[in-house]
Amino acid sequence: MRRAVFWLFVIAVLLAAGWTVWQRVPTLAIAEWDIAGNGWRIVAYGWAGLLPLWPLVLAGVLGGFFLFGIAVAGSYDWARNADHRAQIARLTRECDQAHAEAEARVTRREQAAQEAQARAEQLRLAALQAEQQAHTQAKTAAAHAEHYRLRARNAICAAARIKRKATQSVP
């Protein structure tokens, strides 16, 4: 972003310099002192006045381009570094946000895993309790079955005794 602003600034400076030269050169007049004593004599004026001053114009143009190039390079480097710093800051924020989101997801998943483990432990304990209860009921049922089997045997034996007594007393 700053590089775009920088290049717009460079274009504006070049246009301003060009406009200034375009406005000032037509009023330029080159005069020299007449040695014969007649005073100042105009040698050239306007755009034609640049030809006798070609060494000065060349030095000005080269010096201007050199200084302008140094300023442009420094400003461009500053703008590029500012863009890089802004990009690094943005990427750092995004990275920190991604880390925070990842940590939150990990925390949620760990919590869900702990809850699932707690539920599984509760189910395991309930299954153990149900197994113990079933074992106890099976023992109770076996004891009742044995008790009723013994009563049935006693009843059969009692009925057989009664029948034997009845058959022995009936002759």
Side-chain angles (χ1 to χ4, degrees), residues 13-14 17 24 48 51 73 76 80 85 101-102 120 122 134:
V13 167
L14 288 175
R24 300 290 180 217
L51 289 177
Y76 184 78
R80 186 182 62 206
R85 283 189 301 273
E101 290 173 0
Q122 287 173 350

Side-chain angles (χ1 to χ4, degrees), residues 36-117:
N38 294 336
W40 289 100
R41 180 173 60 98
I42 294 179
V43 176
Y45 60 92
W47 290 99
L50 294 179
L51 289 177
L53 297 176
W54 72 267
L56 183 62
V57 170
L58 182 64
V61 168
L62 291 178
F65 277 129
F66 179 72
L67 292 176
F68 185 72
I70 289 174
V72 165
S75 298
Y76 184 78
D77 187 48
W78 173 82
R80 186 182 62 206
N81 288 339
D83 282 347
H84 287 164
R85 283 189 301 273
Q87 185 177 16
I88 287 171
R90 180 183 56 81
L91 291 174
T92 302
R93 280 192 311 273
E94 289 177 4
C95 182
D96 291 344
Q97 183 180 6
H99 280 294
E101 290 173 0
E103 287 177 5
R105 281 193 306 268
V106 166
T107 303
R108 283 194 307 268
R109 288 183 181 164
E110 285 176 350
Q111 186 178 12
Q114 287 174 351
E115 289 173 0
Q117 187 176 6

